[in-house]
Amino acid sequence: MKHVDVLVRGAGIVGQSPALSLGRLGLQVGLRPDDPRPGGTPDVRAYALNAASVALLKSLKVWDALPADAATPVYDMHVCGDAHGSAIDFSAWEQRAGELAWIVDAPVLERELGNAVRFSPHVHVLDAAQAESIRADLTALCEGKASAGRAALGVRFERHDYGHSAIAARLVASAPHQGTARQWFRSPDVLALLPFDSPQPQHSYALVWSLPRERCAELMALDEAAFAAALMAATEGAAGDLQLASPRAEWPLAIAQASAWCGPGWVLLGDAAHLVHPLAGQGLNLGRPTWPR
Ligand SMILES: Cc1cc2nc3c(=O)[nH]c(=O)nc-3n(C[C@H](O)[C@H](O)[C@H](O)COP(=O)(O)OP(=O)(O)OC[C@H]3O[C@@H](n4cnc5c(N)ncnc54)[C@H](O)[C@@H]3O)c2cc1C
């Protein structure tokens, strides 16, 4: 193959979704994944997806392929502020929606998108040599925040450091979550417990905890029991006894935006174009399907 309509570089969730969507329109798409890296820790990412993202995944026939414990509906959200008992509550019932959001297992979603790519007659997975030699009318750079393709185009990535890192992990809780997401927006930390059904249905959470770097390093250095105790103190026991069910992963947090999002023959998508704080739950949700289905 010497020519494709669109070459997509990067096969994360953002890369695979438009590759499949464009393939469904009958365009010839080349998809260049990153080379696999040996080792690494288990992927504990879980994302809150809104109705538009779920609708896109449904249209790609990927949503219904997810195992039941990989997508958990959120029916209620309880958000606590700083002192003085400030809080906001939302419910799907009040919003007249089936659910407020879905908490989705990111590695399982990437795997199911990969399965859909394998069955797509118009999406061609390319190795490095093929990707270098192929001609494309449009190259979509979906390489994430450290996109080398963006740098090669000379596009600046204007970055503001929050001075925070996020800890992500899977937890099990003594009390059932009942579809309630809990968030604490306060100074200096921001913490989210997102209801999840794996490893234990109704008794699991995905944790995202944003903290000043030094405090984050201290918490990462604690053993599991001491970390669980710190988590209990931070959540005031609101979700019952919490225990780690996975290793902890850490991300430095920044807000960033590319100085240009598109130019002749290229476009930046996803984190290659913009990076936002994970507690907003918007990184993926900022993408919107606007093409005909
Ligand atoms: C802790 C945490 C929680 C989050 N929670 C949410 C949430 O609740 N809701 C939400 O919407 N968003 C959330 N986000 C944001 C979300 O993770 C990102 O917006 C999303 O992963 C971006 O996807 P992406 O495909 O653009 O980038 P990535 O997921 O980084 O994927 C980029 C891919 O490109 C590959 N790649 C890199 N360089 C090359 C190259 N040169 N050639 C080929 N491939 C390459 C990489 O290996 C990778 O597979 C969260 C982020 C974090 C850190």
Side-chain angles (χ1 to χ4, degrees):
M1 186 168 252
K2 298 197 178 345
H3 173 264
V4 285
D5 298 304
V6 184
L7 172 62
V8 177
R9 288 187 176 270
I13 294 168
V14 167
Q16 295 191 91
S17 306
L20 285 167
S21 301
L22 296 169
R24 282 166 63 86
L25 294 179
L27 296 174
Q28 294 295 331
V29 181
L31 177 64
R32 167 62 190 140
D34 211 358
D35 294 321
R37 302 206 175 110
T41 49
D43 189 346
V44 296
R45 292 172 303 159
Y47 297 151
L49 294 189
N50 64 14
S53 298
V54 172
L56 172 65
L57 293 168
K58 281 185 176 164
S59 77
L60 299 177
K61 313 285 181 226
V62 170
W63 184 255
D64 292 331
L66 290 173
D69 65 356
T72 305
V74 180
Y75 299 119
D76 293 285
M77 188 173 289
H78 184 68
V79 185
C80 306
D82 257 317
H84 317 303
S86 55
I88 314 173
D89 289 289
F90 306 89
S91 80
W93 180 77
E94 280 169 349
Q95 303 292 323
R96 299 181 186 176
E99 57 284 312
L100 291 172
W102 290 83
I103 309 303
V104 178
D105 191 315
V108 175
L109 177 56
E110 278 192 19
R111 186 191 70 206
E112 291 305 331
L113 282 162
N115 286 337
V117 161
R118 266 188 288 285
F119 287 105
S120 171
H122 295 297
V123 183
H124 312 279
V125 178
L126 307 175
D127 64 24
Q130 290 168 323
E132 287 316 312
S133 62
I134 208 158
R135 283 184 301 108
D137 296 335
L138 177 70
T139 298
L141 293 166
C142 308
E143 299 172 338
K145 61 183 175 183
S147 170
R150 181 188 62 219
L153 286 166
V155 175
R156 292 189 315 284
F157 203 47
E158 289 151 6
R159 198 178 168 101
H160 169 77
D161 195 338
Y162 285 115
H164 269 214
S165 289
I167 299 175
R170 304 286 171 86
L171 308 172
V172 288
S174 59
H177 59 61
Q178 296 179 317
T180 301
R182 299 175 184 280
Q183 288 184 286
W184 286 261
F185 277 87
R186 60 194 169 198
S187 183
D189 68 324
V190 185
L191 191 157
L193 291 181
L194 306 173
F196 207 54
D197 285 339
S198 172
Q200 284 182 31
Q202 272 290 329
H203 284 266
S204 305
Y205 285 99
L207 167 72
V208 185
W209 195 358
S210 168
L211 299 135
R213 295 257 150 80
E214 311 72 50
R215 180 65 183 140
C216 184
E218 286 168 15
L219 288 172
M220 289 294 286
L222 294 177
D223 64 26
E224 289 196 8
F227 183 80
L231 202 47
M232 282 298 292
T235 56
E236 299 149 337
D241 282 330
L242 295 168
Q243 302 292 333
L244 278 167
S246 77
R248 286 157 274 179
E250 182 186 350
W251 279 268
L253 297 179
I255 187 162
Q257 183 167 310
S259 56
W261 287 3
C262 58
W266 60 269
V267 63
L268 302 177
L269 298 178
D271 280 12
H274 51 62
L275 199 57
V276 293
H277 195 291
L279 267 303
Q282 287 177 343
L284 285 167
N285 291 320
L286 286 171
R288 291 226 139 192
T290 52
W291 46 78
R293 283 189 236 144

